[in-house]
Amino acid sequence: MATTTAPTPTSSRGDRWAGPGMLLPFALFYLVFLVGPLIYTVVAGFFETSLLKSGLGDFAGLSNYTAVLGDAEFWRTLRNTLWFTVLTTVPLVLLSLALALLADRFVRGRWFFRFAFFAPFVLPSAVVSLLFMFIYADQLGLAQEAVKWFGVDTPPSWLGDPDWAMISIAAATVWWTIGFNFVLYLAGLQDVPREVHEAAAIDGAGPWQRIRHVVVPMLGRTTTLVTVLQVIASLKVFDQIYMMTAGGPDGSTRSSLQLIYDTGFVEGRVGYASTVSLLLFVVILLVSLVWFALVRRAEKES
Amino acid sequence: MRDRIPTPSPPAPSRRRVLRGGIALGAAGAAALTASGCGSTLAQGFTGGAPSPSRLNFWNPFTGGDGERMLAMQDAYRAAHRSTELKSATFLWGNPYYTKLTLSTLGDRPPQVAVVHLSKLPTLAEAGLLTELRTDDLARHGLTEDKFDARPWRKSQFGGAPHAVPLDTHPFVLFFRTDIAEKAGLLDGQGQLVDVDGPDAFIDALRAAKEVTGAWGGSIASVKEASMQFRLFWSLYRQVGGGDLVADQGKRVVVDTAAAAEALAYIRRLSQEKVIPANTDGKGAITLLTTGKAGFLMDGVWQALAVRSAKVKFDMRPLPRIFKDAPYACAADSHALVLPKAPDEKAQRLDLSLGFIASMLHSSKLWAEGGHVPAWLPTQRSRAYKELVPQSHYATAADGAVYDPAAWYGGAGSTMQNVVGDAVTSVFTGETSPTAGAARLRRDLRTLASRPAPV
Amino acid sequence: MTAIATRPETGQRGTSAPPARPRDSERLFNRVALGTLIALALLWLVPLAWALATSIRPAQEVVTNPTGWFTAHPTLDAYGEIFDAGKLPYWYANSFITSILTTVLTVVMASLAAFALSQTRFRMRRAAFVMLLAGIMIPGQVLMIPQFLALQSAGLLNTYWGVVLPQVPNVVAVFVFKQFFDGIPRELIDAARADGAGWLRTYWQIVMPISRPAVSAVTIFVFVGVWNNFLWPLLVVTDPEMMTLPVGLTSVQDVFGVPYAQLMASAVLGAIPLLAVFALFQRRIVEGIAGTGLK
């Protein structure tokens, strides 16, 4: 990059290469670790690539695609992932909105709420999983104890019952990540001008009506952002499920990303796993594109 | 799931100082580690170099009682080999362990010695992850065929050559509380358990125990323990005469659905007649026995220490012979020691590794106290072992031991155990009928078999 | 990786506190709101508090009464045992080293790239920008298999580089920098150039010193992200002494069954470094996130 230190700012030769030269280091990493792997994923999907043998392996044509699309397990993990997305996105958006609306009314003590709701967000998934595996433990966990106070005699095995496991993991995830949305909403609320409140109050609107008819509609854009970020994050769920249930019981919590991990690294079927990867990539890409379209529209409106 | 980046805000120089302080602290910590001898490890992190030649890394999947025994065996080795730096690591049993082992070998950083289940051996060996052992190398350390139990020794061979040194056989057995059995009238004059073989005799015995405990007759792990459910099914299915589940290394499904349905129907009977609870995890199943809420427990021999530590009166015997259609069978596996394929001979440390393996076998008595039937004949035939109680009461189970079906997706803690075990659980809990369960099991196995083998 | 439109400045804004003279209904509403909020905040603190409470109880007490909160005999035994038995010091060191390495590399490369995209003019600049923009939509985790294979063939598994390098191309970091650089007055750059400073010098001596907010925002978030990353180090690191804290905590087992006091002590130890970072940088982090968004 010696060429970039050309002394004159005018369009000398060095100048022409300055930009590309400074872009180069990042671009190399970008190509090697993102673009290259993406191309490899596309290619490997057409081969019987194995983790345990070198090279791409036998050409498979579209057989991986037909196998994946005809594999009940692929669809089940996708359903599980969507179920997790619903279970997390709905409370994470609504509850964080409610919490932010409430917290916004109090200037004093806000740091406390911010700490309580946001601190879990900085924890590693491993710590969150350790914590909740203990809370959800059979017979001796806090969660079973807690529902007993409410008169339930035989609480379910939170992580051992196929009907409850995903809900339990989603609840832990809500605890863990709500702070991010909470803070986004708090910021969105800062942009609601005081006068709006005052005008509505003079009109005789109670606090509840003001929130419902004035404040919430003004948070529309924040809600879009929060929702889409949440959906994308939830579609990529892996860590806490892998650690808490490893996809069980009876496969009821296995996510799409775990299917990739399992087929690719546990079973060593790289070709098949690449196909699943590409399909999951397409799903996430579509969600991202929807988001971009929404952003575009929002920008045009404003 | 949270790789989100926010925008910057106005500068706060003091924070920078704090951050710098944090980094300095981290550096100081690293320096302290270097001083304390971990430095070479950190340096390897940058260079990828191999650990020092006196170092022996050993991996195993043993926790609980097994883990404690294994630590004692390692201490015995350390005491005799002070110049070797033995480092052991324990990982979560099943797929996570084997995935780690595979990835470490692919990454040229395997441990020198590792424990594997012999049910996994064919897959690991075929994938080229194990070092083939030469008989003269083994003989140099006193490890010759005549000193090993024939069954696990045979199972340690792959392609006509040994690829592992067997340590034990560990069958799926029946634990029972002698005090409860006595009250239930299930002990004979000599204090031995009466005959509980046969479908009705076993359930009658469980029911008698239930009347004494007032809660349950027996227990077995059914929640979060697909492998245990697999073992129960696999034992009964073999007793019915179902034969194999898959053939051609897992490429073909040969499950006998009628036999599977019969075995499943019996498993369902256990929960339906309320002699065994259908919602207990591994720890819970043992706790039911040790707290006297169940008189029987179906579990692996390796739980002997866990039960013993509760200081209750108990005994063990082979799993009852429920069906008489075929020779006696009970699910079993063997632990064995292998040398994962190292990138070069220097990293393999063949003699150091084999010396360690020999030392482990010489500690077979310690291992046997944990419940396993030793593969090392000098121990198995010794008087000391034969006097071990209750170990000697179930030694015959090893004769009926059947290993998991051979398939690349099979073996200890494998996908096959999970898939079959999940189907069994759903029958056990009553969610699925035995016939539907057998059909599901066959369907799931077919899906697995249809996949191209990665090895 | 998620795309976030960002703004470089988050100025002070008025809070939307309720009007000056609240009426009765208002006061009631506020009281209910405050009560609800405090109850929920306390509920939110329960898991952490319970972990802390459990970790200082004697092991035997946890076994006999697992859901008890308070102990008459608080002890740090569990912490001592983890440090003695485990490889925790290694894991801390590895997490520090990989997080710092990744952060430094990301800050340098992303800011250089952003500077090139923001301030210099060259052919294909627009195309390069669009290509990077597209990269924001590539979820890194989906590429774990080829990334693993690439590092395997390069012989970098079980090294710090294996953990660090694939985490460096963080497109979002480039965008944060670019947003910030776009806001720098053009005259400042032009003046430096007129004084004969080369592009690299302009970047290093003029632009970077005034870009501390961007640098610290990227630093904090890359650091936290790498420290917390689980899936990637789980794949590339198999040597127990090379593991990062989250991977080590959850994959290396304790031989002695499930000692809950110890488990919770390790959870606390795993949480402390980042809770400390959070406590120190709370405002910065929160404002950083708050400034995020499509406004």
Side-chain angles (χ1 to χ4, degrees), chain C residues 81-98:
Chain C
E81 279 155 29
I82 297 173
F83 265 102
D84 288 345
K87 300 178 162 63
L88 206 71
Y90 286 107
W91 300 338
Y92 267 117
N94 295 333
S95 276
F96 255 112
I97 291 171
T98 52

Side-chain angles (χ1 to χ4, degrees), chain A residues 6-49:
Chain A
T8 45
T10 44
S11 60
S12 72
R13 215 185 130 68
D15 205 20
R16 187 143 48 99
W17 291 105
M22 295 170 97
L23 190 60
L24 189 70
F26 188 88
L28 276 180
F29 273 87
Y30 181 80
L31 290 175
V32 171
F33 292 109
L34 285 176
V35 179
L38 189 61
I39 295 170
Y40 182 92
T41 305
V42 176
V43 173
F46 294 104
F47 289 86
E48 299 282 5
T49 312

Side-chain angles (χ1 to χ4, degrees), chain B residues 402-433:
Chain B
V402 275
Y403 290 97
D404 286 32
W408 63 266
Y409 47 82
S414 65
T415 311
M416 183 196 277
Q417 285 199 348
N418 289 335
V419 160
V420 172
D422 283 344
V424 177
T425 304
S426 81
V427 172
F428 190 58
T429 57
E431 219 167 285
T432 316
S433 77

